[in-house]
Amino acid sequence: MTREIITTPDGGHLELFTTGGDLAAKGSGVVVVPASMVTASDYTRFAQKLSESLGRPVHTFNRRGRGDSSPQPEDYTLEADIRDLDAVMKHTSSTDVFGHSFGGAVALHAARTLPVERLAVYDPAVSVNHSVKADWTPEYERATAAGDYDRGLAVLIKGVETGGAFSRMPLSMLTLATKLTAGTPLGKQMRELMTCGVREIKAVIAADMPAEPFLELPLETLIVVGEKSPAYFGVACGQIHDVLSGSSYTILPGFGHDGPNRAPDKLITELSEFFAG
C-alpha cells in the first residue's frame, strides 16, 4: 500500500491510499468512498482483497475531518465530498466507484454528474422520499452543548441504528457503555468523528429527493444491502432500483452494516465480478 497527499482545486488536501499500485497497467482502479465514523484504515482488508481478486488498484481516501486530510468545513454539504471524489477520480484516472453507507450517498449523488462508469454501493445512507430521519439530533446537540459527550455519542449510535444489538440498548446503558469504552481505539475514533458524522447526516437529509433524478446514474449500478442492516437502507435502495432498469439489487446474507469492513469473500467476489464487467 502506498500513501500520498493530494491537493484539491479549492486548496485543500486529501490523504489517499492505494493498494495494488503495481497493477495500474492492467486498468484504472476502483475508488472507495468511506462511511461516517470510520477512516480509510478501516477498509485496509477490504481494499487488499478486492485488489487481489480484481487484479486492479483500489484507492481509499480519508474524507475531510479524518487522518491527514483537511478539516471538514462547518458549513458542510454533500457537494464538498462530491468535489473531493472528483479530485480523487482525476488523480487516479479511475472511473469505477464503491461507496459504503454515507460514502454510498456521496457516490450516488456524485455519479449523477461525474464520469462514473460502474457504481457499486453498500447500505448507502441516501434519503429518498424522506427515508432517512434524524429526530434524535436535537437531543444529541443538547448533550454535547452541555459537555456530556458520552450521552451525545450514545444518542448518535442509537439514532443511526447501525450498531446491531449495541444500538438497541436502553440509552442509559448505552451511555455507560460509551463512557467505559472512551479509552479504547474505537471509542477514541468515534468521539473524534462524531461532530463530522452528525454534519453528514444533516447533509443527507438536506439532499433528500425523489427516486426519479437517480435515472442519471450509470446504467451499470450495483446496490448491495446487508441482511442484518437497519431497514431504512433497503427502503431507499428499493426505490432507486425501481427506477434504474439496468441496476442490480442484492442482499448480503448474514452480514449487517459493517459488511465491507469485514470483507467477506461473497461480497468481494460479487464486487470483483461487477467491476470486471
Side-chain angles (χ1 to χ4, degrees), residues 147-164:
D148 190 349
Y149 296 103
D150 297 324
R151 183 178 177 84
L153 181 56
V155 170
L156 169 59
I157 293 171
K158 195 167 183 65
V160 298
E161 303 176 35
T162 55

Side-chain angles (χ1 to χ4, degrees), residues 3-113:
R3 171 190 175 276
E4 59 183 316
I5 302 294
I6 68 171
T7 302
T8 57
D10 67 349
H13 52 272
L14 299 171
E15 187 178 23
L16 174 67
F17 299 89
T18 297
T19 301
D22 56 324
L23 300 169
K26 297 185 179 181
S28 68
V30 176
V31 176
V32 175
V33 190
S36 292
M37 310 301 286
V38 295
T39 67
S41 63
D42 293 300
Y43 295 87
T44 300
R45 185 168 177 237
F46 173 84
Q48 290 172 341
K49 291 182 70 172
L50 182 59
S51 177
E52 290 172 3
S53 179
L54 191 56
R56 288 164 52 196
V58 173
H59 310 283
T60 309
F61 66 103
N62 271 324
R63 295 192 292 103
R64 298 197 187 212
R66 296 153 178 83
D68 288 330
S69 294
S70 293
Q72 188 185 69
E74 291 188 11
D75 60 348
Y76 170 82
T77 67
L78 280 180
E79 286 301 318
D81 266 316
I82 291 172
R83 289 192 296 269
D84 286 347
L85 175 57
D86 185 32
V88 172
M89 289 176 62
K90 288 175 178 175
H91 181 81
T92 61
S93 300
S94 300
T95 55
D96 291 349
V97 174
F98 171 78
H100 174 210
S101 189
F102 177 80
V106 171
L108 283 167
H109 283 285
R112 296 172 54 226
T113 55

Side-chain angles (χ1 to χ4, degrees), residues 169-215:
M169 294 170 63
L171 184 60
S172 58
M173 292 180 62
L174 188 52
T175 300
L176 177 60
T178 60
K179 183 175 184 177
L180 292 173
T181 58
T184 66
L186 178 59
K188 290 178 180 177
Q189 176 171 292
M190 294 189 77
R191 275 167 175 71
E192 290 170 358
L193 297 178
M194 58 192 289
T195 301
C196 289
V198 173
R199 281 191 192 128
E200 290 164 359
I201 290 165
K202 289 182 175 180
V204 162
I205 293 172
D208 179 90
M209 63 173 62
E212 285 72 22
F214 290 103
L215 282 167

Side-chain angles (χ1 to χ4, degrees), residues 122-123 164 224-229 250-260 262-267 270:
Y122 185 100
D123 279 2
V224 186
V225 173
E227 180 186 26
K228 298 182 179 180
S229 299
T250 184
I251 295 174
L252 183 66
F255 286 86
H257 190 60
D258 61 349
R262 294 179 178 270
D265 291 341
K266 183 174 179 58
L267 177 61
E270 184 156 6

